[in-house]
Structure formats: structure tokens, C-alpha cells
Amino acid sequence: MRDSPHECVYSIKAHISHCHKQTQRRLSSSAFIMKNLVVFIAVVVALATGSPVPSDSQQCAACSPHARSLLTNLSQLMDKEGQAKHPHLFAGFNCTEQTTQMIPFTQTAVVCQPITPANTSCVNQRNSTFSETECVSNIRDDLWYYNQILKSYVDGVQNAVQDLNPVLMATKTLMSCLQESCPRLSAERTQPEWDVWQGSPFDDRLSLCKALKGFHIRAITMNRALGYIASGDHRKLN
């Protein structure tokens, strides 16, 4: 018995659909193979030419733009014009003349210091190996501390929200970038408390000024460290 025209059309469509799916699978498989082949060739070429194969922690350098944004926001807040625009933060004193208060729990300035060639004349420079993970971990801890400090100040002084929000947002953005982009960076660990708000409103504003000056200096260190990591110079000297 011969098939009806409708059955023939249906059979042809089914065959075409089946062929199309098989073709897509072959193309997908070919694309996967090509992608891995390109990666393999790149590694082989890097090894053959003596070029370093990028490490996972190099991805931390992708956060450099966020570090620059944080430094820009802190600089705009702490310069003379910035202080004049935010009288609620620095009322009653000249912040520029105050001392700087640094976080006492991290070693960022030490572990993020670039290594130097053996013949350097800078006696204060380290001549040991440079650990990207250790450096970025300390930067992350600095950001965590300052984020907690500024959040606690804003929670107690409502009119400081608008003044400190750009710095807070930039801090959180850099924290998130480091946590997401640095595969070897461990999860955030519990840090000791650093209670700086325990005086009168004037004393707390004074403490805020000193803490922000410390944060500004530390942000400069963060930018230099991430720039050094991005340059890859430490891998040449290690």
C-alpha cells in the first residue's frame, strides 16, 4: 500500500529535522574542540617563547579601574575644596592639619611592597618574593575595615550619608571585584573590632577625619600594588 502525500511530507520533514540536529551537534562539538585547541596552542607558544603563562591571580589586576575610582573619590573628599563642600564631616577643625590614623591589623604596606633587583640602592625595599595572594588578601581586609567603619559612622550620623556615599559605593565595588576576580583569594574571615566612635560628636568627626586620611593613603598603596601586579614585573624578578 502506498503512503499518502501527507505521510510522505511528514516523513521528509522529520528526516530534515533529524539531519539538522545532527549537524548542530557536530558543529557544537567542533567548536568545543577548536576552543580547547586554541588554548592549548597559546600555552605551548608561551612556553616555547619563554613568556609566562598567565596565572589565575593575574585576574586581580582587572580591578585596577575600581581602585582608581576609590582613590579619586577619596581625593575629592579630602582635598581643601572637598572639605569645604562637606562641612558636616569636618566642622570645627581643619582636617588637613590633623594626624593620620592607619588600620593596626593589616600588613598591606609591607606585603604589597614591590620586590627590587639585588643591586638596588634602596635599603628600605624588600628583596624577598612577592605574593599576589597575600597582598590582595591584605587589601581586601583593609577595604572590609574601612567599609565597616564608614557604615557605622553613617548609621549614627544621618546627615553624613550623602557625603560618604561615593566612597562607600566605591569601596564595596572594589571589594566585590577582588572577591570575584581573584580565584585564590580565600573567603572573608572574621576580623577584630576596631571601635573608633566612642566620644562626643566633635571627637567622632575628628576620628573620622583621621581615619579617612589613613584610608586615602592606603588607597594610594592599593593602586600601586594592583598596577604592579598588572605589570607582571614581580614574575620576572621572583
Side-chain angles (χ1 to χ4, degrees):
M1 183 175 179
R2 300 178 62 181
D3 294 334
S4 67
H6 292 291
E7 290 174 334
C8 290
V9 171
Y10 177 78
S11 177
I12 292 171
K13 287 183 176 179
H15 179 71
I16 292 173
S17 177
H18 175 72
C19 292
H20 179 67
K21 289 179 180 179
Q22 286 210 335
T23 301
Q24 284 185 320
R25 291 194 192 99
R26 292 194 187 100
L27 289 174
S28 178
S29 177
S30 299
F32 176 78
I33 293 172
M34 287 299 297
K35 181 179 179 181
N36 283 275
L37 182 60
V38 169
V39 173
F40 174 75
I41 292 173
V43 172
V44 171
V45 170
L47 293 173
T49 58
S51 302
V53 179
S55 63
D56 290 340
S57 51
Q58 275 185 270
Q59 298 175 27
C60 303
C63 299
S64 293
H66 301 303
R68 287 194 295 271
S69 176
L70 173 61
L71 179 57
T72 297
N73 279 285
L74 279 165
S75 298
Q76 291 175 348
L77 179 65
M78 299 308 296
D79 63 22
K80 289 184 178 181
E81 292 183 3
Q83 293 180 36
K85 292 178 181 178
H86 306 282
H88 297 298
L89 297 182
F90 311 115
F93 57 87
N94 185 344
C95 184
T96 305
E97 298 176 352
Q98 305 307 313
T99 58
T100 300
Q101 185 172 11
M102 305 299 296
I103 288 178
F105 309 118
T106 60
Q107 301 296 320
T108 309
V110 175
V111 300
C112 290
Q113 192 173 27
I115 57 176
T116 56
N119 60 352
T120 182
S121 59
C122 300
V123 295
N124 292 326
Q125 296 289 328
R126 296 194 310 154
N127 285 310
S128 59
T129 58
F130 180 90
S131 170
E132 295 178 33
T133 303
E134 187 179 8
C135 173
V136 176
S137 179
N138 275 267
I139 290 176
R140 190 272 313 275
D141 289 346
D142 282 329
L143 293 169
W144 186 90
Y145 280 124
Y146 283 114
N147 184 59
Q148 293 299 110
I149 289 170
L150 297 181
K151 277 176 58 180
S152 64
Y153 186 85
V154 167
D155 289 343
V157 183
Q158 292 301 316
N159 59 8
V161 175
Q162 185 174 357
D163 296 322
L164 294 176
N165 190 57
V167 173
L168 271 169
M169 293 300 295
T171 302
K172 292 176 182 177
T173 300
L174 181 54
M175 286 174 64
S176 298
C177 181
L178 291 176
Q179 198 62 47
E180 294 171 2
S181 301
C182 304
R184 296 180 186 177
L185 193 61
S186 61
E188 291 186 11
R189 55 184 182 270
T190 304
Q191 308 290 355
E193 294 293 332
W194 188 30
D195 188 10
V196 295
W197 318 127
Q198 49 189 347
S200 65
F202 177 84
D203 290 335
D204 283 349
R205 290 198 303 276
L206 202 58
S207 295
L208 174 67
C209 159
K210 295 176 181 180
L212 284 171
K213 291 183 72 173
F215 194 10
H216 187 219
I217 292 175
R218 186 51 46 85
I220 294 173
T221 302
M222 293 175 186
N223 274 266
R224 288 175 177 171
L226 291 175
Y228 181 64
I229 291 173
S231 72
D233 288 345
H234 59 294
R235 284 182 289 277
K236 301 174 186 176
L237 296 172
N238 273 346

